[in-house]
Amino acid sequence: MEFKNFLNKNSFKELCYFLVMACAIGIFSVILAKSCEGAFFAFLYIFHHLHYWVLLIIPTGFVTISYLIKNYFPEAEGSGIPQTMAMSNSPNSNNLRRFFIPRVIFTKFIFIVLGTGFGATIGREGPTVQIGAIIMLLGKKGLTTIAKKTLITIGAAAGLAAAFNTPIGGMVFAFEELSKSASQEMILKKVSGIAVAGITVMLIIGNYSYFGRVERHLLNYDWKIFVIALVIGIFAAVNCYLLNKIIYYLTLSPTSKINKWRKSHLYLTAAICGLICAIIGVLSSGLSFGNGYIESNDLLNNNMILPKFYYLYKMSAAIFSSASGVPGGYFATSLAIGNGIGNFIHNIYAVANIQQYCLLGMAAFLAALTRAPVTAIVMILQITSSQVFTLPIIVAALTATWVAHVFGKGIYEYQIENYLK
């Protein structure tokens, strides 16, 4: 790598701009996280005090969001990661440009917080990835295709790292998903951007692990856990296939009668999906609402016992939240579903602590969803501080990825194809 021009005036100016934008991504990530947290706690307060009124409140909220996005803010739709991956593949696409204009930073923020405040089963991490890419592009005009792709990749990786406080996970995601090859200069910029975003988050809210720290004594294992890892990997991949196909037929398939009806009845669809989400929430005593962070964190830290079919509550609510048109990501929700899958298998056949099953479930479902096993492995290790459990997590993630590939395309691949049409 050549550094002979590194200290010239233009390079120094570009470096300062780059670091400021990375810092801005970290700050935005914290603001979005705290806003969503506040909105969800407000929703839980309403649910616990008004309870069955959510059967009216949630559909009304979903219809309102659908109406506003359809008529005024179409650029705010979607989960964020498919748009970013598509833009990374085709940075000059006119169809994708509308998702990367500056006002998306504000509209996406508003609708993610609103959706969370109405109990939708959505995550903020995907939108943070998209907004990270947008922030990195701010003020940049006349960029070459390579330069634009580089900034999108750096911003997206920094967004993911900041959202989960997983700097290594952000780097791996950038290499595994957003760019299959990269120059040394691009690698240095990625790492620098991720580091600055991560440091910014740490300075604001402290050095923390997303799901806390799973106690080391709970992660002692023997050969039997590898069998469980295989079982969970297969089971997670099957369920991820069901999630992919249902969302595809409800929202993307050009031949699906349901999708054709949905497109011509957007507000009625939003109302129906909102009502279904509300019913699932009432039946699950509120466990299906939100991205699942609270339940996952409490279960991993021995503070909660989840019902056997928690993962079905969460997965069903995620499907209908997505079909309603409420924007939001799958990343955090997939971790909750994976946690539930581990809990389900543990209820059937327990040979180890439930925390081990949950770690395997999270890694497996995330790997099956993203088709990025290394990202899933590294992220789970970082967000739970469970490095001593690395080998079983690797087995679960790789098994899930292999089985998922046998079933065909994942939801991100379907969505990317749709955006690149």
Side-chain angles (χ1 to χ4, degrees):
M1 180 177 179
E2 297 182 2
F3 289 98
K4 61 183 180 181
N5 296 320
F6 186 75
L7 294 178
N8 66 39
K9 185 176 179 180
N10 289 335
S11 294
F12 182 74
K13 185 178 179 181
E14 181 182 346
L15 177 63
C16 290
Y17 173 87
F18 169 74
L19 295 178
V20 168
M21 291 300 103
C23 184
I25 292 170
I27 293 171
F28 177 85
S29 173
V30 173
I31 294 172
L32 179 58
K34 293 301 181 183
S35 299
C36 287
E37 184 179 302
F40 187 59
F41 282 134
F43 171 80
L44 289 180
Y45 179 86
I46 292 170
F47 173 68
H48 290 308
H49 284 80
L50 300 180
H51 204 55
Y52 291 109
W53 278 99
V54 297
L55 297 173
L56 176 62
I57 293 170
I58 294 176
T60 301
F62 281 21
V63 171
T64 301
I65 292 171
S66 180
Y67 173 80
L68 291 172
I69 290 177
K70 172 65 178 176
N71 293 284
Y72 301 103
F73 309 104
E75 73 281 354
E77 71 171 52
S79 70
I81 290 180
Q83 291 100 316
T84 306
M85 293 171 71
M87 191 67 167
S88 179
N89 291 330
S90 183
N92 296 315
S93 168
N94 291 325
N95 184 46
L96 289 167
R97 195 169 296 164
R98 64 192 174 100
F99 295 113
F100 291 86
I101 58 177
R103 85 170 195 166
V104 174
I105 297 172
F106 305 102
T107 57
K108 200 83 169 188
F109 174 90
I110 290 168
F111 287 113
I112 293 300
V113 174
L114 273 178
T116 303
F118 281 112
T121 307
I122 55 175
R124 58 176 169 81
E125 291 75 18
T128 307
V129 167
Q130 180 186 1
I131 292 169
I134 297 169
I135 290 174
M136 198 58 75
L137 290 171
L138 286 176
K140 293 291 186 180
K141 296 181 180 179
L143 292 171
T144 64
T145 299
I146 294 176
K148 188 181 291 185
K149 183 173 182 177
T150 299
L151 289 176
I152 290 169
T153 303
I154 294 168
L160 183 67
F164 281 107
N165 193 30
T166 53
I168 299 176
M171 283 186 273
V172 174
F173 176 71
F175 299 138
E176 189 174 27
E177 280 297 286
L178 296 175
S179 59
K180 304 302 180 184
S181 62
S183 66
Q184 285 183 311
E185 183 180 359
M186 185 177 180
I187 291 171
L188 179 60
K189 286 181 177 179
K190 285 180 186 177
V191 175
S192 300
I194 290 164
V196 171
I199 291 168
T200 302
V201 172
M202 185 190 72
L203 289 174
I204 297 173
I205 58 177
N207 187 18
Y208 74 102
S209 177
Y210 187 80
F211 279 134
R213 186 182 302 275
V214 179
E215 294 297 329
R216 188 183 181 95
H217 72 274
L218 297 174
L219 299 179
N220 295 324
Y221 61 89
D222 58 26
W223 65 269
K224 288 180 288 213
I225 202 63
F226 292 103
V227 178
I228 298 300
L230 290 171
V231 172
I232 289 178
I234 294 169
F235 191 72
V238 171
N239 279 278
C240 190
Y241 168 76
L242 294 175
L243 177 107
N244 290 338
K245 282 301 180 183
I246 293 172
I247 292 178
Y248 174 72
Y249 283 116
L250 288 178
T251 65
L252 294 169
S253 174
T255 59
S256 167
K257 292 181 180 179
I258 296 176
N259 186 33
K260 290 177 181 178
W261 185 88
R262 181 190 66 86
K263 287 181 178 180
S264 59
H265 301 83
L266 287 177
Y267 308 137
L268 181 56
T269 299
I272 293 171
C273 289
L275 180 60
I276 293 172
C277 287
I279 292 171
I280 295 170
V282 170
L283 293 176
S284 65
S285 300
L287 290 174
S288 67
F289 296 131
N291 64 10
Y293 170 81
I294 295 173
E295 303 92 71
S296 296
N297 186 59
D298 285 348
L299 183 61
L300 287 170
N301 289 282
N302 264 336
N303 296 323
M304 176 180 276
I305 298 174
L306 290 176
K308 184 176 181 179
F309 293 101
Y310 166 77
Y311 86 93
L312 285 179
Y313 297 144
K314 210 70 185 176
M315 193 163 77
S316 301
I319 289 169
F320 288 105
S321 293
S322 178
S324 73
V326 174
Y330 305 117
F331 240 80
T333 308
S334 71
L335 297 179
I337 295 170
N339 224 323
I341 286 173
N343 177 70
F344 176 78
I345 300 297
H346 186 267
N347 271 275
I348 295 174
Y349 185 63
V351 298
N353 294 308
I354 190 169
Q355 286 78 9
Q356 297 186 22
Y357 282 68
C358 293
L359 291 172
L360 296 175
M362 288 193 293
F365 199 85
L366 182 59
L369 181 78
T370 62
R371 310 298 170 89
V374 181
T375 297
I377 292 163
V378 172
M379 286 194 65
I380 298 306
L381 292 176
Q382 274 210 290
I383 64 178
T384 59
S385 299
S386 54
Q387 288 79 2
V388 296
F389 201 59
T390 299
L391 282 177
I393 286 175
I394 290 174
V395 172
L398 291 179
T399 301
T401 306
W402 287 331
V403 175
H405 277 300
V406 170
F407 286 128
K409 296 177 182 177
I411 190 61
Y412 285 156
E413 293 169 280
Y414 284 125
Q415 291 173 333
I416 290 168
E417 288 178 358
N418 183 60
Y419 286 125
L420 290 176
K421 283 181 181 178

